[in-house]
Amino acid sequence: MNLDQAHSIYFIGIGGIGMSALARYFVAKGLTVGGYDKTKTDITDELEDLGVLIHFEDDIKQIDSTFLDANTTQIVYTPAIPKSHSELNYFNSNGFHVMKRSQVLGEITRQTFCLAVAGTHGKTTTTSILGHLLNECDVEVTAFLGGISENYNSNLILNGTKVSVVEADEFDRSFLTLSPDFACITSMDADHLDIYGDASELVKSFEDFSEKIKPNGKLFVKNGLPIKGITYGIEDDSDYSVENIKIVNGSYEFDVKTPTKLLENFKFNLPGRHNLSNALIALAMSVEYGLPQPQLAKALASYKGVKRRFTYQIKTDDLVYIDDYAHHPEEINAVHQAVREMYPDEKVLAIFQPHLFSRTRDFIDDFAKSLSKFDEVILLDIYPARELPIEGVTSQWLLDKIENKNKKLVQKIDLVAAIKNSDATVIMTIGAGDIGEQVKHIKKALSHAS
């Protein structure tokens, strides 16, 4: 069975950000959609509101009979699901057509004009900018996002099926299933070393990805990366470069130098040079696709960002609270640069929850260095995600390496009290684990306090 023949689709791990975007896509295409996830969240609630049948126990008996016909049902799973999962094993051993999420995305990219965004950082923001630009310029586009867009309050932008915009995820090498027409690589910092072993393997997988581009396609790369393509950068000699940058009322105003001309008068509301770089590559791909400057400038000015990417939770004259997904030292450096550029004279408190024991171990000194730059640091315990503990790898070990006298390790239950004890005027929560669940409690407590 191929995807076109399926009447119903069942997702194992449906609450994941990438899985739920696919689920929304198939709902929009009129298929019957259901799935399992281990926890109920805002995302699963929203899917249920769309008529998606979801349960939260790994139990064949709870699966609706609609999804138990191997001739009409496509099964999709995420690599985060353990091999011991009884539903996955049932489908595998009973003749069902079972595909990884990335394979389904690969099928969609083969059938469309695909723009794919790869890189160890910046994928979600870049993909959501690119999807927004194409959508605002009336391109018949579907964009699958790895986060919730503030403009659409969704991880899916759906305006037709001729063009697809996708995140090309290097985790588990899943981006090698894609067939893009245009692709970009934003960064190639060492990450996911639990999968790759060492950084040279990671670089090789990006090279393999660049070879997946369809004939006559185009590859765009951040200037300085060791892969050949159309280059982009900020105020440098790249093929596409941001020029004449000004900060006006907390927003960037700039021009873009292309290989043939200067495009003037762009405005972008997200702080940080890393975000400016993400905006540039989205613009470069849009220009090469053939979209005109006036429409692109209008579209970029209306872009609002992605939830948990430098998201302002509180923004008053006395107190600023920002939440960000950063979970790698380079991402923390980018967030620090952004907050210093916007608030040069304020005291900044960073609350960080490390994500994965292996990542903490592999980058311990870099984490310590990037966190030491803040005025005050609160650490939470490591969020394990898919891993078992590694002996000696703890938040205390990281805390001891941070060169900052204003630092402490706090339990989640004591976090709000610890924040209230600080005299910092800019507060940041940082991390990719369940620290995102603490945001509403912190926001509520700080709103009452102020």
Side-chain angles (χ1 to χ4, degrees):
M1 185 178 75
N2 66 29
L3 268 178
D4 295 339
Q5 296 166 321
H7 297 272
S8 53
I9 301 217
Y10 186 84
F11 289 87
I12 304 176
I14 195 165
I17 199 79
M19 293 281 274
S20 57
L22 274 178
R24 287 175 191 273
Y25 173 75
F26 287 112
V27 168
K29 281 179 81 81
L31 278 72
T32 306
V33 179
Y36 154 87
D37 208 289
K38 67 178 179 195
T39 38
K40 199 171 170 59
T41 61
D42 291 347
I43 288 177
T44 60
D45 288 348
E46 284 161 16
L47 289 175
E48 288 181 311
D49 289 344
L50 293 174
V52 177
L53 302 163
I54 303 177
H55 61 268
F56 300 94
E57 276 179 67
D58 175 13
D59 180 5
I60 317 303
K61 292 194 191 73
Q62 293 201 27
I63 301 172
D64 190 277
S65 58
T66 315
F67 305 105
L68 294 175
D69 182 345
N71 296 314
T72 57
T73 301
Q74 170 69 54
I75 309 300
V76 184
Y77 74 100
T78 161
I81 293 293
K83 301 264 187 293
S84 58
H85 199 274
S86 62
E87 291 185 15
L88 182 58
N89 285 321
Y90 171 84
F91 289 124
N92 273 325
S93 52
N94 282 281
F96 282 79
H97 196 244
V98 179
M99 292 169 86
K100 267 189 193 173
R101 179 185 75 90
S102 55
Q103 292 171 305
V104 176
L105 216 46
E107 280 301 309
I108 293 167
T109 64
R110 266 184 282 285
Q111 297 161 10
T112 53
F113 187 98
C114 172
L115 299 95
V117 178
T120 42
H121 323 296
K123 285 189 292 293
T124 299
T125 301
T126 304
T127 308
S128 73
I129 299 171
L130 185 53
H132 179 67
L133 295 180
L134 295 176
N135 186 55
E136 287 290 296
C137 293
D138 290 323
V139 175
E140 291 178 45
V141 65
T142 302
F144 297 91
L145 313 178
I148 304 296
S149 155
E150 297 279 10
N151 287 80
Y152 304 92
N153 198 29
S154 176
N155 50 352
L156 184 73
I157 302 171
L158 191 59
N159 188 35
T161 53
K162 281 189 182 166
V163 176
S164 61
V165 175
V166 301
E167 281 190 38
D169 193 356
E170 76 284 355
F171 172 72
D172 198 30
R173 296 181 172 82
S174 64
F175 61 178
L176 300 183
T177 61
L178 304 178
S179 295
D181 294 84
F182 287 7
C184 73
I185 301 174
T186 63
S187 47
M188 284 167 32
D189 293 303
D191 197 6
H192 300 304
L193 298 185
D194 54 324
I195 303 288
Y196 284 98
D198 69 62
S200 64
E201 281 298 307
L202 183 75
V203 172
K204 185 182 180 309
S205 79
F206 277 103
E207 288 167 351
D208 293 343
F209 168 70
S210 70
E211 287 163 17
K212 296 288 175 186
I213 296 172
K214 290 174 193 160
N216 304 319
K218 294 178 181 179
L219 177 67
F220 302 76
V221 294
K222 180 82 178 281
N223 198 0
L225 293 181
I227 290 182
K228 287 211 175 343
I230 298 166
T231 56
Y232 73 97
I234 293 178
E235 293 176 325
D236 62 13
D237 60 352
S238 302
D239 299 315
Y240 281 84
S241 172
V242 171
E243 306 289 336
N244 309 320
I245 302 169
K246 299 193 287 281
I247 295 179
V248 181
N249 297 329
S251 298
Y252 288 113
E253 294 184 3
F254 61 95
D255 303 328
V256 173
K257 175 184 74 68
T258 78
T260 56
K261 58 188 171 198
L262 188 72
L263 305 175
E264 295 180 325
N265 299 327
F266 287 98
K267 183 182 176 189
F268 184 58
N269 296 315
L270 262 59
R273 291 286 171 118
H274 61 301
N275 281 322
L276 191 56
S277 177
N278 295 335
L280 172 63
I281 181 52
L283 285 169
M285 293 172 88
S286 301
V287 168
E288 293 281 336
Y289 183 74
L291 301 179
Q293 189 276 348
Q295 278 179 277
L296 285 173
K298 189 177 172 208
L300 188 68
S302 70
Y303 176 75
K304 294 179 188 167
V306 177
K307 286 195 165 81
R308 299 219 64 227
R309 303 303 192 281
F310 213 91
T311 302
Y312 284 98
Q313 297 292 338
I314 297 174
K315 192 179 188 181
T316 65
D317 292 342
D318 312 319
L319 181 71
V320 172
Y321 171 32
I322 297 160
D323 178 46
D324 195 277
Y325 183 75
H327 55 285
H328 182 283
E330 286 302 321
E331 293 167 351
I332 296 172
N333 288 338
V335 162
H336 178 264
Q337 182 273 324
V339 81
R340 292 295 185 208
E341 188 174 50
M342 293 299 151
Y343 303 101
D345 305 319
E346 303 294 327
K347 181 175 179 181
V348 183
L349 161 65
I351 300 133
F352 178 58
Q353 181 190 45
H355 185 262
L356 296 179
F357 295 103
S358 61
R359 187 184 279 125
T360 306
R361 176 199 61 202
D362 293 341
F363 302 108
I364 187 84
D365 292 329
D366 293 332
F367 274 125
K369 199 181 292 180
S370 58
L371 290 165
S372 298
K373 295 174 182 174
F374 294 94
D375 301 305
E376 188 179 348
V377 181
I378 291 176
L379 279 191
L380 296 175
D381 283 328
I382 296 169
Y383 183 75
R386 55 187 179 267
E387 293 184 335
L388 294 169
I390 298 171
E391 194 175 341
V393 179
T394 63
S395 285
Q396 184 62 51
W397 181 38
L398 173 56
L399 189 79
D400 293 342
K401 285 180 170 278
I402 294 172
E403 291 181 12
N404 186 326
K405 58 184 187 301
N406 298 317
K407 61 178 182 179
K408 59 180 157 202
L409 180 59
V410 168
Q411 296 304 306
K412 260 187 261 173
I413 196 163
D414 303 319
L415 181 56
V416 169
I419 294 169
K420 281 179 157 177
N421 279 336
S422 170
D423 61 349
T425 45
V426 178
I427 294 163
M428 300 200 71
T429 38
I430 307 171
D434 61 4
I435 190 169
E437 298 297 310
Q438 301 297 315
V439 171
K440 44 186 180 253
H441 305 307
I442 296 166
K443 181 178 180 176
K444 189 174 169 188
L446 291 175
S447 300
H448 283 320
S450 61

